[in-house]
Amino acid sequence: LAKFSWKSPVVVVKVIDSVLRGIAQVAFGNNPLTGLLILIGLFVGNVYSGLGAILCSLTAIFTAKVLNWQDDAVAAGHSNFNAVLIGTVTTALYPSVFGEAMPLPVWGYMVIAAVFTVCVMGGLGRIMEGHNIPALTLPFNIAVSTTFLCMKMAGYGTTTDSPSADLVAEEAIHWGQVFRGTLLAAGHVWAVEDVACSCLVYLALFIFSPILALASYVGAALGTFSGLLVSSSPYAAVYHGVWGYNGFLAAGSISFFMVPNPRILLLAAINAVFATFIQSALNPVYAANGLPVFTFPFCLASVLMLAAAMASGPPSLRVGNPTFP
Amino acid sequence: LAKFSWKSPVVVVKVIDSVLRGIAQVAFGNNPLTGLLILIGLFVGNVYSGLGAILCSLTAIFTAKVLNWQDDAVAAGHSNFNAVLIGTVTTALYPSVFGEAMPLPVWGYMVIAAVFTVCVMGGLGRIMEGHNIPALTLPFNIAVSTTFLCMKMAGYGTTTDSPSADLVAEEAIHWGQVFRGTLLAAGHVWAVEDVACSCLVYLALFIFSPILALASYVGAALGTFSGLLVSSSPYAAVYHGVWGYNGFLAAGSISFFMVPNPRILLLAAINAVFATFIQSALNPVYAANGLPVFTFPFCLASVLMLAAAMASGPPSLRVGNPTFP
Amino acid sequence: LAKFSWKSPVVVVKVIDSVLRGIAQVAFGNNPLTGLLILIGLFVGNVYSGLGAILCSLTAIFTAKVLNWQDDAVAAGHSNFNAVLIGTVTTALYPSVFGEAMPLPVWGYMVIAAVFTVCVMGGLGRIMEGHNIPALTLPFNIAVSTTFLCMKMAGYGTTTDSPSADLVAEEAIHWGQVFRGTLLAAGHVWAVEDVACSCLVYLALFIFSPILALASYVGAALGTFSGLLVSSSPYAAVYHGVWGYNGFLAAGSISFFMVPNPRILLLAAINAVFATFIQSALNPVYAANGLPVFTFPFCLASVLMLAAAMASGPPSLRVGNPTFP
């Protein structure tokens, strides 16, 4: 597709290809089929998330072209994978964070946030490129935190009373539910909780790279089990997969950006645990401003661990494609 | 003036020149006449702000010479523009933040903060220089936040009760007042709210560079209008220009540091909106510690957008002078 | 010792040497005797702190070898000095932060945190190396903040009521007690408050480098006196040395990493004051999440001031050894 200009009629195919790759890039896949399966999963889990992903992707691709990004970066979905998350996460989390159904103007804020992600990706990417580290989904985290706080300041949402402490003192851990949590974690990357969606994500990743799919699953499992260490009973959040998605991404990122060897895989495992610890630590900090932690724990842990992986020993090679314009 | 040594009697003229340039550098002007007009504006708006600017500037220039900064950086006002803001902002905001008239010892804390800005400018400038990004007014933000919190810990200020929620539910937007807000924004850069002061700032910038003056005004207008999106009625703060100063600086910084072309001007406009969104997002975060956001939203947005501007496409050239010792 | 392989029987001696050097590296000493004296001081002050230091050191050295760190970095204690602090600070501060005696499982969290410090040191070290700045004890600060918050989330600790405001309005400053505070500050670096321990620290540093010992003491004194400026009476914390340890480290770091000259020593003094101001500013911010500030104020100030020291003028040379793998 790279041969065709962005001005020819083929542009529609190129844009669809880029949208699908962007959806897959969130989990480090660079393959339109992978993206398509995940998109189907999103629609199965939450129709609005699917629509949000498409709307924000198109906004991001348009912005990137106007800002003169390089063709190959746009084609690979690097300009829009952060916008995908704006679309899925805002639509999925708005009701729980703001305590009301999502009103129409929020779609406008999503478009603005999608424009921001492209600019921040350009800037942050360039700064971090100097250290040979990818910007991951930091642009999404910056844009979504900013926009959510702005919407609160603009008067959106009802003043949610903090829920009364649950008196359920259920101590026993349901291991079957924990296993279900490791599966559900995959969908939580896009903030969608649905078994079918999660299965499609794993299938889609497996098509792109079996190693990546396996590493991501092990990461999700490590994160979920760490969740038992860093939260207190009742462990509902563990069973719902909420403790696994940072581990999923953390292990996946190390496996994807570095050539796997035993030492790298050990670092990937440590990173999954580290990201989950950070998730637990940042939860109350973000909650003080009424925000969930999004994927920031994964970003923080992985930036440090990718640098550590590159630092220790020569036999590992960075295999990432150029992510920046 | 560069020919004369700092030890000759001409030193007085050199120092005055540097003080005035430092005042102008806050808004990216490098011209003593621009600085003089703004200084007059400060005195018109708030006598103490004018005195604070001069006292802190002198402290900073002295510190920079002792620390062996290069002559041209000191002469251009790079060592003291952060200190200028310490002087104007502390004197202007102390009464509202601490709920009492400013007592004498605060001038001592201002001097200490001015010394800090020089050191932080040296350090942060050097770190960010590696990425070819200027430190902007980050040193001021670090020093002023630190000092304000320290003064609170040292027992300054009265325990201000959070004001009871205003019941005024005035929905209609006064567009004339919004326009007045776009004008007042210029003075808020130095934390002074005064129409005459703002007019002098625009006049002073126009003398230095008509393009910069225009870009800054458009930024102030975009910021003020964005303020309607990211705050809720009654829009008193919008009318007072509080939502415009980050946009003013954000648009100005991109226009100043990059060679303007349509793409750069678009980025400058996005930056003005982005900075205002960040301002809204950080307001409650800073307020939790009893602080205003100062110019940190501008700094955060502009660092990212300057990097983005440099990243996307070759035809733009950095025109900033070396800002660092 | 460097001649012997890590696989020969001499490994025991190498490990002991590395543990001791790591303990000394916290205060920039690189000498096993210095480390031994400080370790004795730790045991005198708090037996658990001594044990924690040893356990976490061994964990860190093992992790570093598995992750393939370079021999000389491990031998010099660079892989384990952050872990030393995990061991001493967790054991010393757990009772006051969590309001209960330290239960056994916390030792497990300490081991996990020690593993994290090694990975973060590798990553952060590599990122900051690009700017020629050491990572200092930032890895410890990241790991310990994360772990403390995680333990809170996992249900450790009793809900401590905020202590009722003390009504003692003792205005007079006991200068003898302030002097005692400058002495006690040294032990607070390892979170141990004990006159004998502090004296052993100074003695140990003096053996390694008289200049470093003197600079650290002057820093502790400057910090303690600044503490009077940035806190309010009664000055119990000043008398206990709590305001001196960041100054101790701040002045020591500049003196150690740069070749001392009058300008560098001035910067070291400013750094000690700056770190103490930041300590005061961050106290309420950290306290909002129920955490002490650890040594983060020192790290933040010193990163900026080391960069400033390198920026201003040529006659200063970095003398640090390569800190990174």
Side-chain angles (χ1 to χ4, degrees):
Chain A
L1 284 167
K3 282 179 294 181
F4 298 98
S5 150
W6 282 85
K7 302 223 165 121
S8 78
V10 196
V11 68
V12 176
V13 184
K14 287 190 74 151
V15 167
I16 292 174
D17 181 63
S18 173
V19 168
L20 293 178
R21 282 180 197 269
I23 292 169
Q25 285 281 3
V26 170
F28 313 106
N30 182 359
N31 184 315
L33 185 56
T34 304
L36 181 61
L37 286 173
I38 297 175
L39 182 60
I40 293 171
L42 293 179
F43 271 106
V44 168
N46 182 337
V47 175
Y48 290 116
S49 286
L51 292 176
I54 293 172
L55 172 68
C56 290
S57 279
L58 295 176
T59 306
I61 293 172
F62 178 76
T63 308
K65 291 310 296 177
V66 169
L67 290 178
N68 203 20
W69 275 45
Q70 286 178 12
D71 263 14
D72 52 354
V74 177
H78 289 139
S79 68
N80 47 308
F81 72 90
N82 283 291
V84 165
L85 286 175
I86 293 286
T88 62
V89 171
T90 305
T91 47
L93 296 189
Y94 186 93
S96 70
V97 172
F98 287 82
E100 63 175 21
M102 200 174 102
L104 264 188
V106 173
W107 292 90
Y109 285 95
M110 280 165 58
V111 169
I112 295 175
V115 172
F116 288 162
T117 58
V118 178
C119 302
V120 175
M121 184 71 188
L124 207 57
R126 186 174 183 283
I127 293 172
M128 296 175 71
E129 198 181 16
H131 298 290
N132 207 21
I133 295 174
L136 304 171
T137 51
L138 279 172
F140 153 69
N141 280 283
I142 293 171
V144 79
S145 302
T146 301
T147 316
F148 268 47
L149 286 171
C150 284
M151 291 191 292
K152 274 179 198 283
M153 298 305 282
Y156 288 89
T158 56
T159 37
T160 49
D161 299 318
S162 54
S164 56
D166 9 22
L167 297 170
V168 197
E170 154 203 22
E171 271 300 324
I173 296 171
H174 298 294
W175 292 105
Q177 298 269 33
V178 172
F179 168 76
R180 191 157 169 275
T182 65
L183 204 64
L184 281 170
H188 274 287
V189 169
W190 293 265
V192 170
E193 182 177 328
D194 185 277
V195 174
C197 173
S198 283
C199 292
L200 277 167
V201 168
Y202 283 121
L203 175 62
L205 279 187
F206 191 83
I207 290 172
F208 173 66
S209 155
I211 294 177
L212 180 59
L214 186 67
S216 299
Y217 179 71
V218 172
L222 282 170
T224 304
F225 284 104
S226 302
L228 295 171
L229 276 182
V230 295
S231 69
S232 47
S233 74
Y235 295 107
V238 173
Y239 306 150
H240 285 274
V242 173
W243 286 102
Y245 71 95
N246 281 297
F248 176 96
L249 289 168
S253 67
I254 304 279
S255 319
F256 173 71
F257 286 109
M258 310 297 296
V259 174
N261 65 30
R263 197 167 47 72
I264 292 299
L265 292 178
L266 175 63
L267 265 178
I270 295 178
N271 196 22
V273 177
F274 188 39
T276 310
F277 268 65
I278 292 180
Q279 180 180 354
S280 167
L282 289 185
N283 256 337
V285 180
Y286 270 63
N289 294 301
L291 290 181
V293 295
F294 303 109
T295 58
F296 187 65
F298 143 67
C299 291
L300 188 53
S302 301
V303 162
L304 291 170
M305 292 293 166
L306 278 172
M310 279 182 270
S312 59
S316 62
L317 250 159
R318 175 82 189 289
V319 289
N321 357 24
T323 319
F324 320 111
Chain B
L1 286 168
K3 282 178 297 181
F4 297 98
S5 150
W6 282 85
K7 301 219 166 126
S8 76
V10 195
V11 67
V12 176
V13 183
K14 289 190 74 152
V15 167
I16 292 174
D17 180 64
S18 174
V19 168
L20 293 179
R21 282 180 196 269
I23 292 170
Q25 284 281 5
V26 170
F28 312 107
N30 182 358
N31 183 316
L33 184 56
T34 303
L36 181 62
L37 286 172
I38 297 176
L39 182 60
I40 292 171
L42 293 178
F43 271 106
V44 169
N46 183 336
V47 174
Y48 290 117
S49 286
L51 292 175
I54 292 173
L55 172 68
C56 291
S57 278
L58 296 177
T59 307
I61 292 172
F62 178 75
T63 308
K65 290 310 296 177
V66 169
L67 290 179
N68 203 19
W69 276 45
Q70 285 177 12
D71 263 15
D72 52 353
V74 176
H78 289 139
S79 69
N80 46 306
F81 72 91
N82 283 291
V84 165
L85 286 175
I86 294 286
T88 62
V89 171
T90 306
T91 47
L93 297 188
Y94 186 92
S96 70
V97 172
F98 287 82
E100 63 175 22
M102 200 174 103
L104 264 187
V106 173
W107 292 90
Y109 285 95
M110 281 166 59
V111 168
I112 295 175
V115 172
F116 288 164
T117 59
V118 178
C119 302
V120 174
M121 184 70 187
L124 208 57
R126 186 174 182 284
I127 293 172
M128 297 175 71
E129 198 182 15
H131 298 290
N132 207 21
I133 295 173
L136 304 171
T137 51
L138 280 172
F140 153 68
N141 280 282
I142 293 171
V144 80
S145 303
T146 302
T147 316
F148 268 48
L149 286 171
C150 284
M151 289 191 295
K152 274 180 199 283
M153 298 305 281
Y156 287 90
T158 56
T159 38
T160 49
D161 299 316
S162 54
S164 56
D166 11 22
L167 297 171
V168 198
E170 154 200 24
E171 270 299 324
I173 296 172
H174 298 294
W175 292 103
Q177 299 268 34
V178 172
F179 169 74
R180 192 157 169 275
T182 64
L183 204 66
L184 282 170
H188 275 288
V189 169
W190 292 265
V192 170
E193 183 178 328
D194 186 278
V195 174
C197 173
S198 283
C199 292
L200 277 167
V201 168
Y202 282 120
L203 175 62
L205 279 187
F206 192 82
I207 291 172
F208 174 66
S209 154
I211 294 178
L212 180 59
L214 186 65
S216 298
Y217 179 72
V218 172
L222 282 169
T224 304
F225 284 104
S226 303
L228 295 171
L229 276 181
V230 295
S231 69
S232 46
S233 73
Y235 295 108
V238 174
Y239 307 149
H240 284 274
V242 173
W243 286 102
Y245 71 94
N246 281 296
F248 176 96
L249 289 168
S253 68
I254 304 279
S255 319
F256 174 72
F257 286 108
M258 310 296 296
V259 174
N261 66 29
R263 197 166 49 70
I264 292 300
L265 293 179
L266 174 63
L267 266 178
I270 294 177
N271 196 23
V273 177
F274 188 39
T276 310
F277 268 64
I278 293 179
Q279 180 180 354
S280 167
L282 289 185
N283 255 337
V285 180
Y286 271 62
N289 294 301
L291 290 182
V293 294
F294 303 110
T295 59
F296 187 65
F298 143 67
C299 291
L300 188 53
S302 301
V303 163
L304 292 170
M305 292 293 165
L306 279 172
M310 279 182 270
S312 58
S316 62
L317 251 158
R318 175 83 189 289
V319 290
N321 357 24
T323 319
F324 320 112
Chain C
L1 284 167
K3 282 179 294 183
F4 298 98
S5 149
W6 283 84
K7 302 220 166 121
S8 75
V10 195
V11 67
V12 176
V13 183
K14 287 191 74 152
V15 167
I16 292 175
D17 181 63
S18 174
V19 167
L20 293 178
R21 282 180 196 268
I23 292 169
Q25 284 282 4
V26 170
F28 313 106
N30 182 358
N31 184 314
L33 183 57
T34 303
L36 181 62
L37 285 173
I38 297 175
L39 182 60
I40 293 171
L42 293 178
F43 271 106
V44 169
N46 182 337
V47 175
Y48 290 117
S49 285
L51 291 175
I54 292 172
L55 172 69
C56 290
S57 279
L58 295 176
T59 308
I61 292 171
F62 178 76
T63 309
K65 289 312 295 177
V66 170
L67 290 178
N68 204 19
W69 276 44
Q70 285 178 12
D71 263 15
D72 51 354
V74 177
H78 289 137
S79 68
N80 47 308
F81 72 90
N82 282 290
V84 164
L85 286 175
I86 294 286
T88 61
V89 171
T90 305
T91 47
L93 296 189
Y94 185 93
S96 69
V97 172
F98 287 82
E100 63 177 21
M102 200 173 102
L104 263 187
V106 172
W107 292 90
Y109 286 96
M110 279 166 58
V111 169
I112 296 175
V115 173
F116 288 164
T117 59
V118 178
C119 301
V120 174
M121 185 69 189
L124 207 57
R126 187 175 181 282
I127 293 172
M128 296 176 71
E129 198 181 17
H131 298 290
N132 206 23
I133 295 173
L136 304 171
T137 51
L138 280 171
F140 152 69
N141 280 282
I142 294 171
V144 80
S145 304
T146 302
T147 317
F148 268 48
L149 285 171
C150 284
M151 289 191 294
K152 274 180 199 283
M153 298 305 282
Y156 287 90
T158 55
T159 37
T160 48
D161 300 316
S162 54
S164 55
D166 8 23
L167 297 171
V168 197
E170 155 202 21
E171 270 299 324
I173 297 171
H174 299 293
W175 292 103
Q177 297 269 33
V178 173
F179 169 76
R180 191 156 168 274
T182 65
L183 203 65
L184 281 170
H188 275 286
V189 169
W190 293 263
V192 170
E193 181 178 329
D194 186 277
V195 174
C197 173
S198 283
C199 292
L200 277 167
V201 168
Y202 283 121
L203 174 63
L205 279 187
F206 191 83
I207 290 171
F208 173 66
S209 154
I211 293 177
L212 180 59
L214 186 65
S216 299
Y217 178 71
V218 172
L222 282 169
T224 303
F225 284 104
S226 303
L228 295 171
L229 276 181
V230 294
S231 70
S232 46
S233 73
Y235 295 107
V238 174
Y239 306 150
H240 284 274
V242 173
W243 286 102
Y245 71 95
N246 280 296
F248 176 96
L249 289 168
S253 67
I254 304 278
S255 320
F256 173 71
F257 286 109
M258 311 296 295
V259 175
N261 64 31
R263 197 167 47 71
I264 292 299
L265 293 178
L266 175 63
L267 266 177
I270 295 177
N271 196 23
V273 177
F274 188 39
T276 309
F277 268 64
I278 293 179
Q279 179 179 355
S280 167
L282 289 184
N283 255 337
V285 180
Y286 270 62
N289 294 301
L291 290 182
V293 294
F294 302 110
T295 58
F296 188 65
F298 143 67
C299 291
L300 188 53
S302 301
V303 163
L304 291 170
M305 292 293 166
L306 278 171
M310 278 182 271
S312 58
S316 63
L317 250 160
R318 174 84 187 288
V319 289
N321 356 24
T323 319
F324 320 113

mmCIF file of all heavy atoms in Angstrom, chain C residues 184-199:
data_model
loop_
_atom_site.group_PDB
_atom_site.id
_atom_site.type_symbol
_atom_site.label_atom_id
_atom_site.label_comp_id
_atom_site.label_asym_id
_atom_site.label_seq_id
_atom_site.Cartn_x
_atom_site.Cartn_y
_atom_site.Cartn_z
ATOM 1 N N LEU C 184 22.495 14.690 64.519
ATOM 2 C CA LEU C 184 21.580 13.565 64.314
ATOM 3 C C LEU C 184 21.213 13.393 62.840
ATOM 4 O O LEU C 184 20.832 12.299 62.418
ATOM 5 C CB LEU C 184 20.303 13.777 65.137
ATOM 6 C CG LEU C 184 20.423 13.457 66.624
ATOM 7 C CD1 LEU C 184 19.181 13.928 67.369
ATOM 8 C CD2 LEU C 184 20.627 11.954 66.831
ATOM 9 N N ALA C 185 21.325 14.468 62.067
ATOM 10 C CA ALA C 185 20.917 14.416 60.660
ATOM 11 C C ALA C 185 21.596 13.268 59.922
ATOM 12 O O ALA C 185 20.977 12.606 59.071
ATOM 13 C CB ALA C 185 21.244 15.742 59.983
ATOM 14 N N ALA C 186 22.872 13.012 60.248
ATOM 15 C CA ALA C 186 23.624 11.995 59.503
ATOM 16 C C ALA C 186 22.934 10.636 59.568
ATOM 17 O O ALA C 186 22.831 9.924 58.570
ATOM 18 C CB ALA C 186 25.049 11.899 60.043
ATOM 19 N N GLY C 187 22.438 10.281 60.759
ATOM 20 C CA GLY C 187 21.785 8.984 60.884
ATOM 21 C C GLY C 187 20.471 8.918 60.121
ATOM 22 O O GLY C 187 20.079 7.850 59.647
ATOM 23 N N HIS C 188 19.791 10.061 59.998
ATOM 24 C CA HIS C 188 18.492 10.078 59.333
ATOM 25 C C HIS C 188 18.590 9.719 57.854
ATOM 26 O O HIS C 188 17.582 9.403 57.229
ATOM 27 C CB HIS C 188 17.818 11.441 59.503
ATOM 28 C CG HIS C 188 17.064 11.560 60.784
ATOM 29 N ND1 HIS C 188 15.861 10.926 60.988
ATOM 30 C CD2 HIS C 188 17.346 12.218 61.932
ATOM 31 C CE1 HIS C 188 15.419 11.210 62.200
ATOM 32 N NE2 HIS C 188 16.312 11.980 62.812
ATOM 33 N N VAL C 189 19.795 9.796 57.303
ATOM 34 C CA VAL C 189 19.974 9.363 55.919
ATOM 35 C C VAL C 189 19.538 7.909 55.779
ATOM 36 O O VAL C 189 18.899 7.520 54.798
ATOM 37 C CB VAL C 189 21.447 9.532 55.487
ATOM 38 C CG1 VAL C 189 21.702 8.852 54.155
ATOM 39 C CG2 VAL C 189 21.811 11.010 55.437
ATOM 40 N N TRP C 190 19.858 7.114 56.808
ATOM 41 C CA TRP C 190 19.417 5.716 56.829
ATOM 42 C C TRP C 190 18.174 5.548 57.713
ATOM 43 O O TRP C 190 17.820 4.445 58.090
ATOM 44 C CB TRP C 190 20.531 4.812 57.352
ATOM 45 C CG TRP C 190 21.720 4.707 56.458
ATOM 46 C CD1 TRP C 190 21.982 3.724 55.542
ATOM 47 C CD2 TRP C 190 22.829 5.605 56.374
ATOM 48 N NE1 TRP C 190 23.162 3.978 54.889
ATOM 49 C CE2 TRP C 190 23.707 5.121 55.377
ATOM 50 C CE3 TRP C 190 23.174 6.798 57.025
ATOM 51 C CZ2 TRP C 190 24.895 5.777 55.024
ATOM 52 C CZ3 TRP C 190 24.345 7.440 56.677
ATOM 53 C CH2 TRP C 190 25.186 6.922 55.694
ATOM 54 N N ALA C 191 17.544 6.673 58.057
ATOM 55 C CA ALA C 191 16.332 6.693 58.882
ATOM 56 C C ALA C 191 16.575 6.192 60.301
ATOM 57 O O ALA C 191 15.666 5.695 60.953
ATOM 58 C CB ALA C 191 15.186 5.901 58.230
ATOM 59 N N VAL C 192 17.807 6.315 60.788
ATOM 60 C CA VAL C 192 18.118 5.906 62.151
ATOM 61 C C VAL C 192 18.470 7.151 62.958
ATOM 62 O O VAL C 192 19.306 7.957 62.533
ATOM 63 C CB VAL C 192 19.292 4.907 62.170
ATOM 64 C CG1 VAL C 192 19.777 4.680 63.596
ATOM 65 C CG2 VAL C 192 18.879 3.602 61.523
ATOM 66 N N GLU C 193 17.809 7.324 64.094
ATOM 67 C CA GLU C 193 18.087 8.507 64.910
ATOM 68 C C GLU C 193 18.825 8.074 66.162
ATOM 69 O O GLU C 193 18.235 7.514 67.080
ATOM 70 C CB GLU C 193 16.775 9.204 65.276
ATOM 71 C CG GLU C 193 17.012 10.461 66.097
ATOM 72 C CD GLU C 193 15.715 11.169 66.417
ATOM 73 O OE1 GLU C 193 14.779 11.088 65.599
ATOM 74 O OE2 GLU C 193 15.634 11.773 67.498
ATOM 75 N N ASP C 194 20.122 8.315 66.175
ATOM 76 C CA ASP C 194 20.945 7.846 67.290
ATOM 77 C C ASP C 194 22.264 8.601 67.233
ATOM 78 O O ASP C 194 22.925 8.630 66.181
ATOM 79 C CB ASP C 194 21.176 6.338 67.142
ATOM 80 C CG ASP C 194 21.894 5.757 68.327
ATOM 81 O OD1 ASP C 194 23.139 5.857 68.332
ATOM 82 O OD2 ASP C 194 21.236 5.213 69.219
ATOM 83 N N VAL C 195 22.651 9.219 68.353
ATOM 84 C CA VAL C 195 23.876 10.024 68.349
ATOM 85 C C VAL C 195 25.087 9.165 68.003
ATOM 86 O O VAL C 195 25.918 9.555 67.173
ATOM 87 C CB VAL C 195 24.078 10.716 69.718
ATOM 88 C CG1 VAL C 195 25.429 11.421 69.748
ATOM 89 C CG2 VAL C 195 22.952 11.720 69.965
ATOM 90 N N ALA C 196 25.173 7.979 68.590
ATOM 91 C CA ALA C 196 26.337 7.124 68.335
ATOM 92 C C ALA C 196 26.407 6.757 66.860
ATOM 93 O O ALA C 196 27.473 6.808 66.229
ATOM 94 C CB ALA C 196 26.243 5.854 69.193
ATOM 95 N N CYS C 197 25.267 6.413 66.296
ATOM 96 C CA CYS C 197 25.226 6.049 64.881
ATOM 97 C C CYS C 197 25.702 7.213 64.020
ATOM 98 O O CYS C 197 26.515 7.055 63.110
ATOM 99 C CB CYS C 197 23.800 5.641 64.505
ATOM 100 S SG CYS C 197 23.559 5.371 62.743
ATOM 101 N N SER C 198 25.211 8.425 64.314
ATOM 102 C CA SER C 198 25.607 9.596 63.526
ATOM 103 C C SER C 198 27.105 9.845 63.636
ATOM 104 O O SER C 198 27.775 10.153 62.644
ATOM 105 C CB SER C 198 24.844 10.833 64.013
ATOM 106 O OG SER C 198 23.531 10.813 63.528
ATOM 107 N N CYS C 199 27.655 9.707 64.856
ATOM 108 C CA CYS C 199 29.096 9.922 65.032
ATOM 109 C C CYS C 199 29.881 8.906 64.212
ATOM 110 O O CYS C 199 30.882 9.247 63.566
ATOM 111 C CB CYS C 199 29.467 9.798 66.503
ATOM 112 S SG CYS C 199 28.790 11.141 67.494
#
